[in-house]
Amino acid sequence: MSSTVSVLEKKDFIKWFLNHYQLKKRECVWLLNYLVSDDQLMEKVHFVEKAEYCPKAIIMSTQCTDGVPFRFYKQNVLTTDAEKSFHDIRLNQEEEIYLELNFNASRLTPEYASVLEENPHLPQNMSMDKKYGIWAEMVLEKSIETYRKNDIMAKIDAALDQKDYDSFTKWTNELKNFEKQPS
């Protein structure tokens, strides 16, 4: 299966992810760094949801979620030993690897959405519903963000019109904080 996402995009995403989130198992960081270090392996990596349906899958979770720390699936075998998965990946570099990352607001993160691919192993009835759900959530989140920013800017304008320095300062600081948040 050829990926619609470039190796560079995947590597950039993993680096971004590791800088913004802490995984529950440190071995997961080692595994992601190993993948990033090998372009041929990265060609075989696919970010998907519901990875447990895939023939070879890794599921990792960050500290900020309730998800399982680590799971590696190969055919019908499941292990929580990251070292075993590392050896399997190292010895079977021609196999596709499906990777699912569970982290806070993952479905609303544009960085993750940009590397997320449709899972080709999902049961037929699940695949399209999931895809449209992700995009709908992203559109909704962006709309809420735009509304909130416009609301703050309107309050700044009102404070200026009323020559209310305290309100102006309050809402200007609020806007600065809002714009610092990752979108």
Side-chain angles (χ1 to χ4, degrees):
M1 175 184 168
S2 67
S3 178
T4 56
V5 181
S6 75
V7 168
L8 182 61
E9 289 171 311
K10 293 179 212 179
K11 289 170 86 168
D12 286 346
F13 168 72
I14 290 175
K15 290 173 187 174
W16 173 87
F17 176 79
L18 290 173
N19 283 326
H20 287 83
Y21 294 93
Q22 185 175 358
L23 289 156
K24 289 184 177 182
K25 285 186 127 181
R26 70 177 185 271
E27 293 90 346
C28 293
V29 175
W30 300 340
L31 189 56
L32 288 176
N33 281 321
Y34 173 70
L35 293 173
V36 166
S37 72
D38 187 328
D39 285 357
Q40 288 180 321
L41 262 178
M42 284 304 292
E43 285 180 23
K44 301 289 186 183
V45 172
H46 308 280
F47 293 94
V48 297
E49 291 187 325
K50 300 290 182 194
E52 64 270 17
Y53 289 101
C54 300
K56 183 174 182 175
I58 298 170
I59 300 175
M60 299 178 183
S61 298
T62 60
Q63 296 285 357
C64 58
T65 64
D66 292 331
V68 295
F70 177 85
R71 283 196 178 156
F72 177 70
Y73 295 87
K74 181 147 185 194
Q75 303 305 341
N76 295 325
V77 178
L78 162 68
T79 183
T80 58
D81 185 347
E83 199 169 317
K84 286 181 183 175
S85 69
F86 169 76
H87 290 298
D88 183 85
I89 291 167
R90 191 173 53 79
L91 296 172
N92 300 294
Q93 295 194 2
E94 72 290 343
E95 295 176 350
E96 304 291 325
I97 304 166
Y98 297 90
L99 181 58
E100 178 180 345
L101 297 173
N102 297 316
F103 57 100
N104 193 27
S106 62
R107 302 178 102 213
L108 305 174
T109 306
E111 291 83 359
Y112 193 42
S114 71
V115 296
L116 201 57
E117 298 179 55
E118 189 169 335
N119 186 337
H121 301 283
L122 276 182
Q124 193 61 39
N125 62 337
M126 290 180 75
S127 62
M128 290 312 272
D129 292 345
K130 200 74 163 158
K131 181 178 176 182
Y132 292 127
I134 291 170
W135 291 114
E137 284 185 37
M138 287 177 63
V139 168
L140 178 62
E141 182 66 23
K142 189 67 179 170
S143 296
I144 291 169
E145 185 179 303
T146 301
Y147 172 81
R148 187 162 173 244
K149 184 176 181 179
N150 289 340
D151 184 52
I152 294 170
M153 290 172 68
K155 289 176 179 174
I156 290 171
D157 288 343
L160 284 171
D161 291 343
Q162 297 169 3
K163 296 179 179 26
D164 183 349
Y165 179 78
D166 292 336
S167 292
F168 171 77
T169 304
K170 173 187 169 189
W171 293 112
T172 303
N173 288 333
E174 183 75 21
L175 181 62
K176 286 177 187 174
N177 290 334
F178 177 80
E179 289 177 338
K180 284 181 187 175
Q181 294 174 358
S183 49

